[in-house]
PDB file of all heavy atoms in Angstrom:
ATOM      1  N   VAL C  88      -7.474  -8.812  17.830  1.00  0.00           N
ATOM      2  CA  VAL C  88      -6.535  -8.265  18.803  1.00  0.00           C
ATOM      3  C   VAL C  88      -5.168  -8.915  18.572  1.00  0.00           C
ATOM      4  O   VAL C  88      -5.063 -10.104  18.261  1.00  0.00           O
ATOM      5  CB  VAL C  88      -7.060  -8.446  20.249  1.00  0.00           C
ATOM      6  CG1 VAL C  88      -7.348  -9.892  20.573  1.00  0.00           C
ATOM      7  CG2 VAL C  88      -6.104  -7.865  21.272  1.00  0.00           C
ATOM      8  N   CYS C  89      -4.143  -8.107  18.690  1.00  0.00           N
ATOM      9  CA  CYS C  89      -2.790  -8.540  18.323  1.00  0.00           C
ATOM     10  C   CYS C  89      -2.229  -9.520  19.351  1.00  0.00           C
ATOM     11  O   CYS C  89      -2.061  -9.186  20.524  1.00  0.00           O
ATOM     12  CB  CYS C  89      -1.885  -7.321  18.200  1.00  0.00           C
ATOM     13  SG  CYS C  89      -0.188  -7.753  17.794  1.00  0.00           S
ATOM     14  N   LYS C  90      -1.923 -10.699  18.855  1.00  0.00           N
ATOM     15  CA  LYS C  90      -1.393 -11.789  19.668  1.00  0.00           C
ATOM     16  C   LYS C  90      -0.067 -11.414  20.344  1.00  0.00           C
ATOM     17  O   LYS C  90       0.131 -11.641  21.537  1.00  0.00           O
ATOM     18  CB  LYS C  90      -1.164 -12.983  18.724  1.00  0.00           C
ATOM     19  CG  LYS C  90      -0.752 -14.285  19.338  1.00  0.00           C
ATOM     20  CD  LYS C  90      -0.759 -15.362  18.245  1.00  0.00           C
ATOM     21  CE  LYS C  90      -0.314 -16.713  18.784  1.00  0.00           C
ATOM     22  NZ  LYS C  90       1.122 -16.735  19.096  1.00  0.00           N
ATOM     23  N   GLU C  91       0.843 -10.818  19.595  1.00  0.00           N
ATOM     24  CA  GLU C  91       2.159 -10.485  20.144  1.00  0.00           C
ATOM     25  C   GLU C  91       2.026  -9.504  21.317  1.00  0.00           C
ATOM     26  O   GLU C  91       2.766  -9.600  22.296  1.00  0.00           O
ATOM     27  CB  GLU C  91       3.065  -9.862  19.066  1.00  0.00           C
ATOM     28  CG  GLU C  91       3.496 -10.821  17.960  1.00  0.00           C
ATOM     29  CD  GLU C  91       2.516 -10.885  16.788  1.00  0.00           C
ATOM     30  OE1 GLU C  91       1.331 -10.515  16.962  1.00  0.00           O
ATOM     31  OE2 GLU C  91       2.921 -11.300  15.694  1.00  0.00           O
ATOM     32  N   ASP C  92       1.097  -8.565  21.188  1.00  0.00           N
ATOM     33  CA  ASP C  92       0.944  -7.580  22.261  1.00  0.00           C
ATOM     34  C   ASP C  92       0.312  -8.209  23.503  1.00  0.00           C
ATOM     35  O   ASP C  92       0.717  -7.908  24.624  1.00  0.00           O
ATOM     36  CB  ASP C  92       0.121  -6.383  21.772  1.00  0.00           C
ATOM     37  CG  ASP C  92       0.909  -5.519  20.804  1.00  0.00           C
ATOM     38  OD1 ASP C  92       2.065  -5.192  21.117  1.00  0.00           O
ATOM     39  OD2 ASP C  92       0.388  -5.189  19.727  1.00  0.00           O
ATOM     40  N   LEU C  93      -0.671  -9.075  23.293  1.00  0.00           N
ATOM     41  CA  LEU C  93      -1.250  -9.784  24.433  1.00  0.00           C
ATOM     42  C   LEU C  93      -0.168 -10.572  25.153  1.00  0.00           C
ATOM     43  O   LEU C  93      -0.076 -10.562  26.382  1.00  0.00           O
ATOM     44  CB  LEU C  93      -2.364 -10.734  23.976  1.00  0.00           C
ATOM     45  CG  LEU C  93      -3.685 -10.103  23.554  1.00  0.00           C
ATOM     46  CD1 LEU C  93      -4.652 -11.202  23.106  1.00  0.00           C
ATOM     47  CD2 LEU C  93      -4.317  -9.270  24.664  1.00  0.00           C
ATOM     48  N   GLU C  94       0.663 -11.252  24.375  1.00  0.00           N
ATOM     49  CA  GLU C  94       1.737 -12.052  24.979  1.00  0.00           C
ATOM     50  C   GLU C  94       2.728 -11.170  25.727  1.00  0.00           C
ATOM     51  O   GLU C  94       3.174 -11.515  26.821  1.00  0.00           O
ATOM     52  CB  GLU C  94       2.470 -12.860  23.894  1.00  0.00           C
ATOM     53  CG  GLU C  94       1.640 -14.068  23.445  1.00  0.00           C
ATOM     54  CD  GLU C  94       2.236 -14.802  22.256  1.00  0.00           C
ATOM     55  OE1 GLU C  94       3.292 -14.380  21.746  1.00  0.00           O
ATOM     56  OE2 GLU C  94       1.621 -15.793  21.828  1.00  0.00           O
ATOM     57  N   ARG C  95       3.043 -10.045  25.138  1.00  0.00           N
ATOM     58  CA  ARG C  95       3.975  -9.111  25.784  1.00  0.00           C
ATOM     59  C   ARG C  95       3.460  -8.714  27.164  1.00  0.00           C
ATOM     60  O   ARG C  95       4.205  -8.598  28.128  1.00  0.00           O
ATOM     61  CB  ARG C  95       4.128  -7.874  24.887  1.00  0.00           C
ATOM     62  CG  ARG C  95       5.032  -6.803  25.412  1.00  0.00           C
ATOM     63  CD  ARG C  95       5.465  -5.855  24.288  1.00  0.00           C
ATOM     64  NE  ARG C  95       4.341  -5.235  23.607  1.00  0.00           N
ATOM     65  CZ  ARG C  95       3.848  -4.027  23.922  1.00  0.00           C
ATOM     66  NH1 ARG C  95       4.384  -3.322  24.900  1.00  0.00           N
ATOM     67  NH2 ARG C  95       2.824  -3.519  23.251  1.00  0.00           N
ATOM     68  N   PHE C  96       2.142  -8.489  27.245  1.00  0.00           N
ATOM     69  CA  PHE C  96       1.536  -8.082  28.519  1.00  0.00           C
ATOM     70  C   PHE C  96       1.149  -9.285  29.388  1.00  0.00           C
ATOM     71  O   PHE C  96       0.595  -9.112  30.476  1.00  0.00           O
ATOM     72  CB  PHE C  96       0.281  -7.239  28.264  1.00  0.00           C
ATOM     73  CG  PHE C  96       0.554  -5.871  27.690  1.00  0.00           C
ATOM     74  CD1 PHE C  96      -0.148  -5.409  26.579  1.00  0.00           C
ATOM     75  CD2 PHE C  96       1.495  -5.025  28.271  1.00  0.00           C
ATOM     76  CE1 PHE C  96       0.083  -4.144  26.054  1.00  0.00           C
ATOM     77  CE2 PHE C  96       1.739  -3.757  27.757  1.00  0.00           C
ATOM     78  CZ  PHE C  96       1.030  -3.322  26.642  1.00  0.00           C
ATOM     79  N   GLY C  97       1.382 -10.486  28.886  1.00  0.00           N
ATOM     80  CA  GLY C  97       1.024 -11.679  29.663  1.00  0.00           C
ATOM     81  C   GLY C  97      -0.479 -11.853  29.828  1.00  0.00           C
ATOM     82  O   GLY C  97      -0.944 -12.416  30.821  1.00  0.00           O
ATOM     83  N   ILE C  98      -1.244 -11.366  28.864  1.00  0.00           N
ATOM     84  CA  ILE C  98      -2.707 -11.493  28.949  1.00  0.00           C
ATOM     85  C   ILE C  98      -3.139 -12.768  28.212  1.00  0.00           C
ATOM     86  O   ILE C  98      -2.927 -12.893  27.003  1.00  0.00           O
ATOM     87  CB  ILE C  98      -3.406 -10.257  28.340  1.00  0.00           C
ATOM     88  CG1 ILE C  98      -2.997  -9.003  29.121  1.00  0.00           C
ATOM     89  CG2 ILE C  98      -4.928 -10.432  28.344  1.00  0.00           C
ATOM     90  CD1 ILE C  98      -3.470  -7.705  28.501  1.00  0.00           C
ATOM     91  N   THR C  99      -3.709 -13.688  28.962  1.00  0.00           N
ATOM     92  CA  THR C  99      -4.145 -14.958  28.379  1.00  0.00           C
ATOM     93  C   THR C  99      -5.591 -14.828  27.871  1.00  0.00           C
ATOM     94  O   THR C  99      -6.326 -13.919  28.281  1.00  0.00           O
ATOM     95  CB  THR C  99      -4.048 -16.080  29.427  1.00  0.00           C
ATOM     96  OG1 THR C  99      -4.638 -15.607  30.652  1.00  0.00           O
ATOM     97  CG2 THR C  99      -2.590 -16.429  29.699  1.00  0.00           C
ATOM     98  N   GLU C 100      -5.988 -15.753  26.999  1.00  0.00           N
ATOM     99  CA  GLU C 100      -7.286 -15.600  26.323  1.00  0.00           C
ATOM    100  C   GLU C 100      -8.476 -15.610  27.285  1.00  0.00           C
ATOM    101  O   GLU C 100      -9.512 -15.007  27.009  1.00  0.00           O
ATOM    102  CB  GLU C 100      -7.447 -16.678  25.238  1.00  0.00           C
ATOM    103  CG  GLU C 100      -6.433 -16.494  24.112  1.00  0.00           C
ATOM    104  CD  GLU C 100      -6.909 -17.001  22.750  1.00  0.00           C
ATOM    105  OE1 GLU C 100      -8.147 -17.093  22.535  1.00  0.00           O
ATOM    106  OE2 GLU C 100      -6.047 -17.303  21.906  1.00  0.00           O
ATOM    107  N   ASP C 101      -8.321 -16.296  28.423  1.00  0.00           N
ATOM    108  CA  ASP C 101      -9.433 -16.338  29.386  1.00  0.00           C
ATOM    109  C   ASP C 101      -9.702 -14.979  30.033  1.00  0.00           C
ATOM    110  O   ASP C 101     -10.746 -14.769  30.640  1.00  0.00           O
ATOM    111  CB  ASP C 101      -9.140 -17.380  30.485  1.00  0.00           C
ATOM    112  CG  ASP C 101      -7.844 -17.065  31.227  1.00  0.00           C
ATOM    113  OD1 ASP C 101      -6.781 -16.975  30.575  1.00  0.00           O
ATOM    114  OD2 ASP C 101      -7.901 -16.872  32.458  1.00  0.00           O
ATOM    115  N   LYS C 102      -8.748 -14.043  29.900  1.00  0.00           N
ATOM    116  CA  LYS C 102      -8.945 -12.714  30.505  1.00  0.00           C
ATOM    117  C   LYS C 102      -9.584 -11.727  29.529  1.00  0.00           C
ATOM    118  O   LYS C 102      -9.781 -10.552  29.843  1.00  0.00           O
ATOM    119  CB  LYS C 102      -7.591 -12.157  30.961  1.00  0.00           C
ATOM    120  CG  LYS C 102      -7.003 -12.904  32.153  1.00  0.00           C
ATOM    121  CD  LYS C 102      -5.705 -12.258  32.607  1.00  0.00           C
ATOM    122  CE  LYS C 102      -5.009 -13.100  33.664  1.00  0.00           C
ATOM    123  NZ  LYS C 102      -3.551 -12.864  33.664  1.00  0.00           N
ATOM    124  N   ILE C 103      -9.881 -12.219  28.319  1.00  0.00           N
ATOM    125  CA  ILE C 103     -10.372 -11.320  27.272  1.00  0.00           C
ATOM    126  C   ILE C 103     -11.899 -11.311  27.231  1.00  0.00           C
ATOM    127  O   ILE C 103     -12.550 -12.347  27.370  1.00  0.00           O
ATOM    128  CB  ILE C 103      -9.805 -11.756  25.911  1.00  0.00           C
ATOM    129  CG1 ILE C 103      -8.291 -11.504  25.905  1.00  0.00           C
ATOM    130  CG2 ILE C 103     -10.460 -11.041  24.751  1.00  0.00           C
ATOM    131  CD1 ILE C 103      -7.625 -11.952  24.644  1.00  0.00           C
ATOM    132  N   VAL C 104     -12.435 -10.117  27.031  1.00  0.00           N
ATOM    133  CA  VAL C 104     -13.888  -9.911  26.928  1.00  0.00           C
ATOM    134  C   VAL C 104     -14.527 -10.880  25.937  1.00  0.00           C
ATOM    135  O   VAL C 104     -13.994 -11.104  24.853  1.00  0.00           O
ATOM    136  CB  VAL C 104     -14.176  -8.469  26.441  1.00  0.00           C
ATOM    137  CG1 VAL C 104     -15.646  -8.277  26.086  1.00  0.00           C
ATOM    138  CG2 VAL C 104     -13.718  -7.446  27.477  1.00  0.00           C
ATOM    139  N   ASP C 105     -15.671 -11.447  26.322  1.00  0.00           N
ATOM    140  CA  ASP C 105     -16.524 -12.105  25.343  1.00  0.00           C
ATOM    141  C   ASP C 105     -17.957 -11.661  25.596  1.00  0.00           C
ATOM    142  O   ASP C 105     -18.220 -10.958  26.580  1.00  0.00           O
ATOM    143  CB  ASP C 105     -16.385 -13.632  25.409  1.00  0.00           C
ATOM    144  CG  ASP C 105     -16.877 -14.183  26.731  1.00  0.00           C
ATOM    145  OD1 ASP C 105     -18.080 -14.028  27.046  1.00  0.00           O
ATOM    146  OD2 ASP C 105     -16.054 -14.748  27.480  1.00  0.00           O
ATOM    147  N   ALA C 106     -18.856 -12.040  24.698  1.00  0.00           N
ATOM    148  CA  ALA C 106     -20.249 -11.626  24.858  1.00  0.00           C
ATOM    149  C   ALA C 106     -21.156 -12.849  24.859  1.00  0.00           C
ATOM    150  O   ALA C 106     -22.305 -12.797  24.412  1.00  0.00           O
ATOM    151  CB  ALA C 106     -20.625 -10.638  23.754  1.00  0.00           C
ATOM    152  N   GLU C 107     -20.607 -13.942  25.383  1.00  0.00           N
ATOM    153  CA  GLU C 107     -21.395 -15.176  25.454  1.00  0.00           C
ATOM    154  C   GLU C 107     -22.662 -14.989  26.288  1.00  0.00           C
ATOM    155  O   GLU C 107     -23.730 -15.502  25.963  1.00  0.00           O
ATOM    156  CB  GLU C 107     -20.560 -16.299  26.084  1.00  0.00           C
ATOM    157  CG  GLU C 107     -19.691 -17.036  25.090  1.00  0.00           C
ATOM    158  CD  GLU C 107     -18.809 -18.075  25.764  1.00  0.00           C
ATOM    159  OE1 GLU C 107     -19.252 -18.691  26.750  1.00  0.00           O
ATOM    160  OE2 GLU C 107     -17.665 -18.246  25.302  1.00  0.00           O
ATOM    161  N   ASP C 108     -22.515 -14.242  27.394  1.00  0.00           N
ATOM    162  CA  ASP C 108     -23.662 -14.002  28.280  1.00  0.00           C
ATOM    163  C   ASP C 108     -24.791 -13.259  27.574  1.00  0.00           C
ATOM    164  O   ASP C 108     -25.937 -13.297  27.988  1.00  0.00           O
ATOM    165  CB  ASP C 108     -23.210 -13.222  29.525  1.00  0.00           C
ATOM    166  CG  ASP C 108     -22.538 -11.895  29.158  1.00  0.00           C
ATOM    167  OD1 ASP C 108     -21.811 -11.852  28.141  1.00  0.00           O
ATOM    168  OD2 ASP C 108     -22.746 -10.898  29.883  1.00  0.00           O
ATOM    169  N   MET C 109     -24.436 -12.555  26.482  1.00  0.00           N
ATOM    170  CA  MET C 109     -25.459 -11.824  25.750  1.00  0.00           C
ATOM    171  C   MET C 109     -25.875 -12.593  24.486  1.00  0.00           C
ATOM    172  O   MET C 109     -26.607 -12.060  23.650  1.00  0.00           O
ATOM    173  CB  MET C 109     -24.931 -10.440  25.385  1.00  0.00           C
ATOM    174  CG  MET C 109     -24.637  -9.601  26.633  1.00  0.00           C
ATOM    175  SD  MET C 109     -23.598  -8.164  26.304  1.00  0.00           S
ATOM    176  CE  MET C 109     -24.854  -7.008  25.729  1.00  0.00           C
TER     177      MET C 109
END
Side-chain angles (χ1 to χ4, degrees):
Chain C
V88 57
C89 179
K90 186 173 178 289
E91 291 88 339
D92 288 312
L93 286 179
E94 284 173 359
R95 179 162 57 95
F96 290 131
I98 299 172
T99 47
E100 294 209 23
D101 59 302
K102 291 183 188 154
I103 292 177
V104 170
D105 65 62
E107 274 176 35
D108 57 323
M109 297 164 83

